[in-house]
């Protein structure tokens, strides 16, 4: 893959260090977690589900760890994007069903669901793009987690499902995210039958952004991360904030009017003027993240 021309030192560091693994000295390990790996590689925050023995089940413990990591990401001034991935053959099997039996206090059940909802709020509020790299099965709350990401790159062998109904537990909260990501007819098919859909079906429906062969997944994901890292950070943050806000507006003309105001403010940014000037001068922009 031909490397693009990068804009400034922070962006170059971001791209170089992204290519290194979690064990690399270039990655700053952030706190110690039991069920996830969490590192900052010059603004690329890597969040990796790391409990393959439980099929990366979203137990209360894992949900708490994810909640802590995304709270840190949302508060970080240097974050450029988030890469969400997993280890093992399953992206995530959803909630740990052993925590939801009658032998476990109802207060614990409620805490599992409320913590998951609180995590979803952090994902919604994340000021930078969240990119999911999916290789394997994303089921129930695991599929919900995928649906909440901004960009999803999946291997062609990945599968997506909401199988709770098969066990008598309707995937109500996963359905909130899924029904807002894909057409209702397909969401209904997944939720009422519990049957999985393929990566290609998920791509056509809009649940994922790109589908590639498993051996190309890392390269394709890297391409997405690199492209984001090339952009002006203030512009990316401004753009995501308005994109999330305007999609909730019922009146399309109201969205357009607010979009006008946002674009006027966008023009006041240093990087925007640099980009426009570089276009006139037929050169690459030198963004300073101002």
């Amino acid at each position: 893959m031909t490397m693009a021309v990068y804009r400034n030192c922070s962006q170059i560091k971001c791209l170089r260090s992204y290519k290194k693994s979690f064990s690399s000295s270039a990655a700053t390990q952030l706190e110690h977690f039991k069920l996830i790996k969490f590192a900052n590689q010059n603004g690329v925050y890597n969040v990796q589900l790391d409990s393959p023995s439980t099929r990366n089940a979203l137990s209360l413990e894992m949900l708490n760890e994810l909640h802590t990591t995304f709270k840190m990401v949302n508060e970080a001034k240097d974050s450029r994007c988030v890469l969400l991935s997993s280890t093992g053959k399953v992206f995530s099997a959803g909630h740990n069903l052993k925590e939801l039996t009658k032998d476990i206090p109802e207060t614990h059940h409620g805490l599992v669901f409320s913590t998951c909802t609180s995590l979803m709020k952090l994902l919604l509020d994340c000021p930078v793009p969240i990119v999911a790299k999916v290789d394997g099965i994303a089921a129930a709350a695991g599929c919900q987690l995928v649906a909440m990401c901004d960009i999803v790159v999946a291997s062609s062998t990945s599968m997506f499902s909401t199988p709770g109904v098969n066990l008598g537990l309707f995937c109500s909260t996963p359905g909130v995210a899924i029904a807002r990501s894909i057409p209702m007819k397909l969401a209904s098919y997944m939720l009422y039958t519990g049957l999985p859909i393929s990566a290609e079906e998920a791509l056509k429906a809009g649940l994922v952004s790109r589908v590639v062969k498993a051996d190309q997944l890392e390269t394709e994901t890297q391409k997405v991360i690199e492209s984001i890292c090339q952009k002006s950070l203030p512009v990316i943050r401004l753009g995501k904030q308005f994109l999330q806000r305007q999609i909730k507006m019922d009146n399309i003309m109201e969205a357009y009017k607010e979009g006008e105001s946002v674009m006027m403010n966008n023009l006041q940014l240093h990087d925007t003027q640099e980009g426009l000037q570089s276009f006139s001068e037929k050169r690459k922009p030198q963004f300073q993240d101002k």
Side-chain angles (χ1 to χ4, degrees):
M1 180 174 59
T2 303
M3 298 296 286
V5 177
Y6 305 128
R7 314 306 191 215
N8 60 36
C9 291
S10 64
Q11 291 166 332
I12 293 173
K13 289 179 181 178
C14 164
L15 295 164
R16 285 176 177 170
S17 63
Y18 164 72
K19 297 176 183 179
K20 301 181 182 295
S21 67
F22 277 100
S23 61
S24 168
S25 59
T28 302
Q29 300 296 327
L30 302 173
E31 297 198 12
H32 176 72
F33 295 102
K34 180 181 177 182
L35 301 176
I36 66 173
K37 293 179 180 178
F38 183 43
N40 172 17
Q41 298 175 316
N42 289 294
V44 178
Y45 280 76
N46 291 272
V47 181
Q48 187 175 57
L49 311 184
D50 189 34
S51 183
S53 63
T54 67
R55 293 160 59 94
N56 292 312
L58 296 178
S59 62
L60 181 59
E61 185 176 9
M62 181 176 279
L63 289 170
N64 279 325
E65 291 187 4
L66 287 170
H67 191 281
T68 299
T69 61
F70 274 96
K71 191 171 187 298
M72 292 174 64
V73 169
N74 289 7
E75 294 173 352
K77 301 300 183 183
D78 69 330
S79 60
R80 305 192 73 89
C81 65
V82 180
L83 172 61
L84 179 64
S85 62
S86 66
T87 57
K89 297 180 179 180
V90 176
F91 178 80
S92 175
H95 291 304
N96 187 335
L97 299 183
K98 294 179 180 179
E99 292 186 326
L100 303 179
T101 65
K102 66 178 182 179
D103 299 324
I104 304 298
E106 287 188 10
T107 53
H108 185 89
H109 300 166
L111 192 56
V112 168
F113 296 133
S114 64
T115 302
C116 188
T117 296
S118 182
L119 172 61
M120 297 305 117
K121 180 65 164 58
L122 286 174
L123 298 181
L124 279 173
D125 293 342
C126 185
V128 295
I130 303 173
V131 180
K133 180 174 71 173
V134 180
D135 187 19
I137 299 169
C143 190
Q144 173 186 352
L145 188 60
V146 169
M148 293 296 293
C149 295
D150 298 294
I151 299 172
V152 180
V153 184
S155 67
S156 56
T157 54
S158 294
M159 303 286 284
F160 304 86
S161 67
T162 51
V165 70
N166 296 334
L167 300 176
L169 181 62
F170 197 82
C171 287
S172 297
T173 46
V176 172
I178 293 166
R180 284 167 169 74
S181 299
I182 64 177
M184 184 58 72
K185 290 293 190 294
L186 185 58
S188 297
Y189 170 84
M190 294 177 67
L191 290 162
Y192 297 143
T193 69
L195 295 172
I197 63 172
S198 68
E200 285 295 339
E201 289 174 308
L203 175 64
K204 292 177 182 177
L207 183 60
V208 305
S209 312
R210 299 282 291 170
V211 173
V212 296
K213 294 180 179 179
D215 60 1
Q216 298 174 354
L217 183 60
E218 181 65 29
T219 299
E220 185 66 25
T221 305
Q222 179 179 312
K223 177 182 175 182
V224 173
I225 298 293
E226 287 180 355
S227 183
I228 293 171
C229 284
Q230 292 175 42
K231 309 304 186 288
S232 165
L233 181 56
V235 172
I236 288 289
R237 288 180 174 237
L238 175 149
K240 178 170 180 180
Q241 183 182 57
F242 177 65
L243 179 62
Q244 296 283 8
R245 190 168 67 250
Q246 66 88 13
I247 203 69
K248 300 174 185 176
M249 296 180 180
D250 294 327
N251 189 319
I252 189 172
M253 294 313 299
E254 179 185 348
Y256 271 123
K257 291 302 294 183
E258 185 162 343
E260 292 176 18
S261 176
V262 171
M263 293 198 75
M264 290 294 290
N265 291 333
N266 197 156
L267 285 171
Q268 304 307 309
L269 296 178
H270 176 277
D271 279 351
T272 304
Q273 290 304 313
E274 161 60 17
L276 296 176
Q277 185 173 346
S278 72
F279 177 79
S280 299
E281 297 175 357
K282 298 182 179 180
R283 59 174 175 81
K284 297 289 184 180
Q286 301 296 314
F287 294 136
Q288 299 299 316
D289 290 336
K290 294 181 179 179

